[in-house]
Amino acid sequence: MKRESMIYVTFQREGIHKYPAALTDPKLATGGDDDVSFLGYPHRHMFHFKVSLEVFHDDRDVEFIQFKRELEGLYNNNVMQLDYKSCEMLAAELAKYIIDHYPGRKLKIEISEDGENGAHIEYAR
């Protein structure tokens, strides 16, 4: 039976970003109960990362503690200043690094704001 194996790591980083279109887009700045114009101003989140990486055998093909530390090291311990970057944009940047350093593997990246809402992106090998 064919199977796929993946490891995953999780970590969190504090960040500040904004969604400039929320200030003026009438679909977002509605003035009603669904108004999210406040997102146009810089605001803080705890960004939760979950990264899954394909492995090719069961004996720590990629050691997940080392992988986690490597990815955490890409973000300093200061508050991330993300300007207008979305969860999807953060995932794309992280994916580029991982694909460059771990080529030929399936990759899944999930990034959420405060563990509530976010993006899930999958990359095939």
Side-chain angles (χ1 to χ4, degrees), residues 2 6-8 19-21 35 38 42 51 56 59 72 82-83 85 90 97 103 105 108-109 111 113-114 116 124:
K2 184 176 170 147
M6 299 186 83
I7 60 164
Y8 73 88
Y19 182 22
D35 185 283
F38 60 90
V51 178
F56 301 123
D59 194 19
E72 286 178 319
L82 302 172
D83 195 21
K85 290 181 186 170
L90 288 173
Y97 172 87
R105 298 170 188 263
K108 298 178 185 180
I109 299 176
I111 300 178
E113 297 174 348
D114 308 312
E116 285 185 328

Side-chain angles (χ1 to χ4, degrees), residues 58-97:
D58 294 340
D59 194 19
R60 299 296 168 92
D61 180 20
V62 176
E63 205 301 313
F64 47 71
I65 295 172
Q66 290 176 323
F67 185 54
K68 174 181 177 150
R69 289 176 181 168
E70 177 182 358
L71 298 184
E72 286 178 319
L74 299 175
Y75 307 93
N76 61 30
N77 287 326
N78 297 326
V79 176
M80 295 186 304
Q81 299 297 323
L82 302 172
D83 195 21
Y84 60 87
K85 290 181 186 170
S86 65
C87 293
E88 295 88 341
M89 292 173 189
L90 288 173
E93 288 178 349
L94 183 55
K96 181 176 178 352
Y97 172 87

Side-chain angles (χ1 to χ4, degrees), residues 95-109:
K96 181 176 178 352
Y97 172 87
I98 295 169
I99 291 167
D100 287 349
H101 289 84
Y102 297 88
R105 298 170 188 263
K106 288 183 98 173
L107 172 64
K108 298 178 185 180
I109 299 176

